[in-house]
Amino acid sequence: MLMTVLDGSIVTVAMPAIQADLGFTPAGLSWIVNAYLIAFGSLLLLAGRLGDLIGRKRMFLAGTAVFTAASLLAAVATTPAVLVAARFLQGVGSAAASAVGLGILVTLFTGPRERAKAIAVFSFTGAAGASIGQVLGGVLTDALAWNWIFLINLPIGIATLLVALPALPGDRGLGLRSGADALGALLVTGGLMLGIHTVVTLQESGATSVRTLGGGALALALLAGFAVRQVTAATPLMPPRILRSRSVSGANLVQMLMVAALFSFQILVALYLQNVLGYGAARTGLAMLPAAAVIGVVSLTVSARLNARFGERRVLLAGLVLLTGALGLLTRLPGRPEQADYLTDLLPVMLLAAGFGLALPALTSLGMSGAKAEDAGLASGLFNTTQQIGMALGVAVLSTLAATRTESLTAAGRPAGEALTGGYHLAFALGAVVLLAALGVAATVLRPGRAAADGSAD
């Protein structure tokens, strides 16, 4: 999990070096990220269900092996096409391994207390991976070369395989006949792949272009066809009972909104530090390190106990309130380097990021609460899919609006730093609004006692 999430963020600070070395065009450079996101986000649901059918251990090992091999290919790439292809293969491997990760956890740790602790560690590694990726990406790029951001995956991947082979219990799976819905698999994978492609190319194509509107409409049609297919198929890929639990469906919706909003924290704060304050890659990563630290401390030390004492819903609401406050503070960032002070302007925001350490373990517990043993991989794949959809939406929508606002301020004669900051302010404010929407869903859909009622209904 650490390696998968880390690889999604480690490239962000190394992209200028990659562009200079391999000769990427400005438009082509975004495909270093897009190729990974499209493969990863579109295959998670299918990979999760296949894990239930052929065995989650097999799927985990196969995905880890593909990801590790693709990392080596990316490290030795000498052309943009080879690097983009390697990033796509990394996404395929990541999807296969990540989709079944939570499913393996909830079947290994069945007691409420030990499951809560396991989910807390799992959530921490995901949050830490994003932050460590930015720090490590800057350090490796500055000290060695951009190739090392991919080579670092090799020892981690090999170690994971060596540990997983004896440590993970074998599972035969349900057999392909229990859910071999080929048409459903084509519909959902095609719909997700086209939908994520449409979203991540939104800024390049334009929100009202024929390409965007047509791609979005076709993606929705494919996903609607998948939904109809699941109701009518004899052996559906995603049994409808999964979404009947309001805890599961509500948690996935809240997660999608939360991740979309927090893109403005993870990416735009890094851009502010570099483009407005003039920080280097390594210094930017170190400046954001307190956020990873507080998320780690909260996830590992208090989240499980708070969930057990107060319930996941209350802990989730508290985490969302803290995160909303963090984005609210970011709307006050100064637009000139001489006006900015890290200790007063940014450190409080980093500390409020502790809300993520509260929210994510609670959401993960709720999102997996309706999973039976035979559906654990599917529930895990669904939870990861909504996370990736939220990330793609946040990247596309908030970055597009920020860029549009910056262009209008530049045209009005504002200095470059102030124009950039004005665009970031808009994205932070809209992110806070999206978090308020997530709060509303959590407060109304995830009502106390609902999980128990859902479980009895099944």
Side-chain angles (χ1 to χ4, degrees), residues 200-374:
V200 299
T201 58
L202 181 64
Q203 188 172 359
E204 176 186 340
S205 303
T208 58
S209 68
V210 174
R211 179 179 174 183
T212 297
L213 296 177
L218 181 56
L220 289 175
L222 290 172
L223 293 175
F226 170 72
V228 172
R229 172 69 180 175
Q230 299 318 286
V231 176
T232 59
T235 55
L237 183 71
M238 187 174 75
R241 65 176 178 270
I242 292 291
L243 295 178
R244 288 181 190 145
S245 166
R246 287 183 63 162
S247 293
V248 173
S249 56
N252 277 280
L253 178 56
V254 170
Q255 180 187 222
M256 185 167 62
L257 293 171
M258 182 181 76
V259 172
L262 292 182
F263 156 78
S264 61
F265 175 86
Q266 181 183 341
I267 304 298
L268 295 187
V269 170
L271 290 175
Y272 171 80
L273 290 170
Q274 294 186 70
N275 296 337
V276 178
L277 301 189
Y279 283 24
R283 188 181 178 191
T284 296
L286 292 173
M288 299 188 70
L289 193 57
V294 296
I295 291 171
V297 170
V298 171
S299 297
L300 293 176
T301 62
V302 300
S303 65
R305 283 181 286 177
L306 291 176
N307 285 332
R309 182 171 181 179
F310 300 106
E312 287 89 353
R313 175 180 174 272
R314 291 180 179 176
V315 175
L316 170 61
L317 292 174
L320 291 173
V321 168
L322 291 177
L323 292 172
T324 304
L327 292 188
L329 288 178
L330 287 172
T331 62
R332 301 171 58 251
L333 289 177
R336 297 182 180 181
E338 64 272 14
Q339 297 173 335
D341 182 77
Y342 179 83
L343 291 179
T344 57
D345 294 323
L346 284 165
L347 186 58
V349 174
M350 301 299 167
L351 298 179
L352 286 175
F356 194 75
L358 295 176
L360 188 58
L363 272 177
T364 305
S365 296
L366 291 166
M368 297 299 294
S369 61
K372 298 181 178 180
E374 63 269 24

Side-chain angles (χ1 to χ4, degrees), residues 408-450:
S408 66
L409 291 174
T410 301
R414 299 284 289 276
E418 292 185 9
L420 283 170
T421 305
Y424 299 151
H425 283 171
L426 176 61
F428 296 143
L430 291 175
V433 171
V434 173
L435 282 178
L436 288 175
L439 264 170
V441 173
T444 56
V445 176
L446 302 174
R447 292 195 292 273
R450 179 61 62 181

Side-chain angles (χ1 to χ4, degrees), residues 38-39 41-51 53 59 176 179-194 219 222-239 378 385:
I38 290 171
S42 61
L43 293 173
L44 280 164
L45 193 64
L46 177 60
R49 187 53 174 166
L50 284 176
L53 301 179
M59 183 61 66
L176 288 175
D181 179 15
L183 178 58
L186 288 174
L187 288 170
V188 70
T189 304
L192 287 172
M193 190 169 289
L194 182 58
L222 290 172
L223 293 175
F226 170 72
V228 172
R229 172 69 180 175
Q230 299 318 286
V231 176
T232 59
T235 55
L237 183 71
M238 187 174 75
L378 176 60
T385 298

Side-chain angles (χ1 to χ4, degrees), residues 17-53:
I18 295 174
Q19 182 179 20
D21 192 20
L22 298 187
F24 272 91
T25 64
L29 190 64
S30 64
W31 283 97
I32 299 175
V33 175
N34 292 347
Y36 183 85
L37 285 178
I38 290 171
F40 187 37
S42 61
L43 293 173
L44 280 164
L45 193 64
L46 177 60
R49 187 53 174 166
L50 284 176
D52 290 332
L53 301 179

